Amino acid sequence: MPDWKILIADGLEANGQALLRAAAQVDDRRGIGADELLQVIADYDALIVRSRTRISGAVLSATSRLKVIGRAGVGVDNIDLAAAQVRGVTVINTPTATSLAVAELALGLILALARAIPRADAAAKNGQWLKKELLGVEISGKTLGVIGMGNIGAALARGAAALGMQVLGYDAFMPAEEISRREARPASLAELYARSDFISLHVPLTPETRHLIDAAALDQMKAGVRLVCTARGGIIDEAAVLQALLSGKVAGAALDVFDQEPPGQSPLVLHPNVIVTPHIGAQTVEAQTRAAEDLAHEVIAALHGQPLRWKVI
């Protein structure tokens, strides 16, 4: 067996760890701090992270041994990709393992917004019977705008269509024909904003998508629109969304991600028409099992210099 060492910084399911341990020495140091990571990273050939650990240029400069960074999940905005590329470090992720879990959460949040389910539950448990006050809306016949028609957006489109929603899809990097094949009608952003009763975001956080949903975008939307974001914090301008909630332009928002996590007791978090979940999009037993297995196979393949399915750089 090659004398490889793998550091797990944010935890990995047992099935993935078993695969890794059959091929290398593995240290599971979930929760490792930034300073400690800087001190030990030079001892490892591979590093496995989730969204918590930030891999900066300083971390990459502290090692000449590191060959691969594996991200258990989709987003790689916590990794300095430019620095990794300069140093010849391969970055891989698991773009399909958690797609269904995130799409199902987004669909659940759409239903929760439509019927104020969290507020109804909290009130009933507090001795309040708000039957008349909680007048919801049906999602059947409503229009859902999906921004980002990748694996997650496509899975959401299928689920929403099955429940009777009309689905509009926008993706800056996908031909209209492919969006149609993914069970959404292609639309421009302007049309999607103008026609959608619900809007769900499924794009990565990049300089181009940061604050994609800002005051100008909100001005283009229907009065009473409901927003869902299970993608990345920073894609929405939280201050602008709060103002739109206060004015009534936005009827509700369901947010699984925030610019700063955890977000604390901010006015947006505490708004009665906002549903908040703690970045749980990928948190299902099935998704985590798939992600662990996929990532383990990819990391081992990368160490062997074999072809990779999900190489980011």
Side-chain angles (χ1 to χ4, degrees):
M1 180 189 299
D3 191 23
W4 290 321
K5 291 183 66 178
I6 301 173
L7 174 62
I8 300 175
D10 297 324
L12 193 70
E13 297 300 301
N15 62 315
Q17 290 210 27
L19 290 169
L20 293 173
R21 292 182 190 280
Q25 176 185 332
V26 177
D27 292 336
D28 184 353
R29 302 179 66 173
R30 67 188 68 196
I32 188 172
D35 291 341
E36 189 178 359
L37 180 62
L38 270 172
Q39 294 171 11
V40 303
I41 190 62
D43 295 332
Y44 293 94
D45 301 280
L47 172 63
I48 291 176
V49 300
R50 296 181 185 273
S51 59
R52 182 193 70 91
T53 299
R54 302 201 67 82
I55 308 303
S56 63
V59 171
L60 291 162
S61 295
T63 176
S64 59
R65 179 171 175 175
L66 191 68
K67 301 175 182 65
V68 56
I69 300 169
R71 165 70 164 93
V74 181
V76 291
D77 47 288
N78 57 318
I79 302 170
D80 189 330
L81 297 179
Q85 190 165 32
V86 167
R87 302 192 69 84
V89 176
T90 297
V91 177
I92 56 178
N93 64 354
T94 56
T96 63
T98 59
S99 297
L100 186 57
V102 179
E104 287 185 356
L105 177 64
L107 187 57
L109 292 173
I110 289 169
L111 288 164
L113 280 174
R115 300 302 302 270
I117 293 172
R119 185 180 171 197
D121 173 71
K125 289 176 178 175
N126 198 37
Q128 298 174 285
W129 200 248
L130 302 183
K131 181 175 180 177
K132 293 184 178 179
E133 292 90 332
L134 297 180
L135 184 65
V137 298
E138 296 175 0
I139 66 169
S140 180
K142 300 297 190 299
T143 298
L144 169 64
V146 179
I147 300 177
M149 284 297 298
N151 294 319
I152 298 169
L156 174 60
R158 289 192 297 270
L163 291 175
M165 300 192 83
Q166 308 299 314
V167 183
L168 300 178
Y170 170 82
D171 194 300
F173 304 101
M174 189 176 293
E177 295 79 8
E178 182 59 27
I179 293 175
S180 295
R181 281 193 289 269
R182 297 182 178 216
E183 299 193 30
R185 186 173 76 74
S188 66
L189 263 184
E191 181 187 4
L192 186 148
Y193 289 154
R195 294 192 53 203
S196 297
D197 302 293
F198 294 80
I199 294 175
S200 192
L201 298 162
H202 301 285
V203 294
L205 179 62
T206 67
E208 292 73 30
T209 62
R210 176 167 287 280
H211 287 186
L212 175 67
I213 305 302
D214 59 7
L218 291 161
D219 284 344
Q220 299 177 59
M221 295 178 191
K222 292 175 68 170
V225 66
R226 292 171 170 87
L227 304 176
V228 174
C229 187
T230 57
R232 276 290 180 271
I235 294 171
I236 69 165
D237 180 339
E238 294 175 10
V241 170
L242 176 61
Q243 289 305 310
L245 284 158
L246 294 172
S247 73
K249 179 64 180 281
V250 171
L255 308 173
D256 187 47
V257 291
F258 292 85
D259 215 353
Q260 180 71 39
E261 295 183 357
Q265 300 292 290
S266 70
L268 180 63
V269 167
L270 296 175
H271 193 284
N273 294 336
V274 173
I275 297 170
V276 174
T277 52
H279 205 145
I280 59 170
Q283 292 295 99
T284 67
V285 171
E286 297 84 354
Q288 292 305 309
T289 299
R290 286 192 299 267
E293 182 172 347
D294 286 353
L295 191 63
H297 284 306
E298 286 291 276
V299 167
I300 294 167
L303 290 172
H304 278 290
Q306 296 171 348
L308 302 173
R309 293 170 293 175
W310 299 306
K311 181 177 180 180
V312 179
I313 58 167

